[in-house]
Amino acid sequence: PQQKTRGTVSMNDLDAMKARARKALMRPQYDVTNCYKNEGCFQAVARSSLFDQLTVLVVCVNAVWIAVDTDSNTALFLYEADPIFQIVENVFCTYFFLEVCIRFGAFEKKCNAFMDKWFMFDAILVLNMVVETWLLPLMFVVMGSEDFGNTIDVSMLRMLRLVKLTRLSRISRLLRSVPELAIIVKAIGLSARSVCVFFALWLVL
């Protein structure tokens, strides 16, 4: 009788685990497009797969451009850089700014945009880009070169150039567009713990 009870309990546990697994699979996944309007130009563009693929392509090109800019552009201010750097930076800034505006305009309830983590992540990166590309040169024109140089510390500007490298984190957009990459990253994260434990034991022994 005791063995039957144990067998019954184990079977019940197995059935409960299967039920939880089915419930987790049937749970609806979060899709930001469910928060979009059903009509309008903004939602039509934001739902477009062509728009999403174009944005991923621009993100990849921007990542390569950041490497070129870091190696070749020695100017502290964008307006002091060569024309090619000014033109390319303004093109990227304009595209990412319009992309965020389109996605924000697509939300039926604007408060949902501030609760979407990916949107807020992109919006913060674009805000940083707008400050560096548009606002700082505008302050230079309004205040003049001497007053502007005295107001802003040079060391702070160098820090801004380092912050510019945070735009590379936008490459995580690929994880949203290619789910296989997200699975690989999660697998690497799960295996990293066991690898670290193995190396720790290897160093101790």
Side-chain angles (χ1 to χ4, degrees):
Q2 188 175 2
Q3 292 180 353
K4 291 182 179 181
T5 303
R6 288 179 180 176
T8 304
V9 172
S10 63
M11 288 298 294
N12 290 335
D13 291 341
L14 184 59
D15 292 337
M17 290 174 63
K18 289 181 179 179
R20 286 196 296 268
R22 283 195 211 98
K23 187 177 180 180
L25 291 174
M26 295 175 62
R27 184 182 304 168
Q29 297 293 326
Y30 173 75
D31 188 0
V32 67
T33 57
N34 294 331
C35 301
Y36 288 168
K37 300 175 184 178
N38 295 323
E39 297 178 351
C41 297
F42 287 142
Q43 64 86 25
V45 176
R47 293 176 189 271
S48 173
S49 59
L50 180 62
F51 176 71
D52 188 61
Q53 292 171 4
L54 178 62
T55 302
V56 171
L57 177 62
V58 174
V59 166
C60 295
V61 175
N62 182 243
V64 176
W65 175 254
I66 288 175
V68 174
D69 181 80
T70 303
D71 291 338
S72 304
N73 185 15
T74 58
L76 289 177
F77 301 97
L78 180 61
Y79 57 82
E80 293 178 344
D82 294 335
I84 183 63
F85 293 104
Q86 298 183 32
I87 293 171
V88 174
E89 284 292 333
N90 278 278
V91 169
F92 281 126
C93 187
T94 301
Y95 181 85
F96 289 129
F97 180 76
L98 290 177
E99 188 239 347
V100 168
C101 290
I102 289 172
R103 289 167 58 193
F104 182 75
F107 279 94
E108 185 174 8
K109 295 181 179 179
K110 305 306 178 186
C111 59
N112 290 333
F114 300 101
M115 292 186 289
D116 185 78
K117 296 179 181 179
W118 281 114
F119 177 81
M120 291 303 300
F121 174 76
D122 293 336
I124 291 172
L125 291 178
V126 171
L127 179 61
N128 172 40
M129 198 172 188
V130 168
V131 169
E132 183 183 359
T133 307
W134 292 341
L135 294 185
L136 286 181
L138 181 62
M139 291 174 60
F140 171 78
V141 173
V142 173
M143 299 176 60
S145 59
E146 294 183 359
D147 294 338
F148 186 67
N150 294 329
T151 302
I152 298 183
D153 190 6
V154 176
S155 60
M156 186 173 68
L157 293 173
R158 288 176 181 151
M159 287 295 296
L160 286 176
R161 285 186 62 85
L162 292 177
V163 172
K164 186 176 183 178
L165 296 177
T166 58
R167 297 182 199 171
L168 289 172
S169 56
R170 194 184 282 115
I171 204 71
S172 60
R173 181 80 177 250
L174 289 173
L175 297 179
R176 286 180 282 175
S177 302
V178 186
E180 291 80 4
L181 288 178
I183 295 174
I184 292 173
V185 171
K186 290 180 181 179
I188 292 174
L190 292 173
S191 61
R193 180 178 177 182
S194 58
V195 172
C196 291
V197 171
F198 170 77
F199 275 107
L201 291 174
W202 180 68
L203 291 174
V204 170
L205 298 176

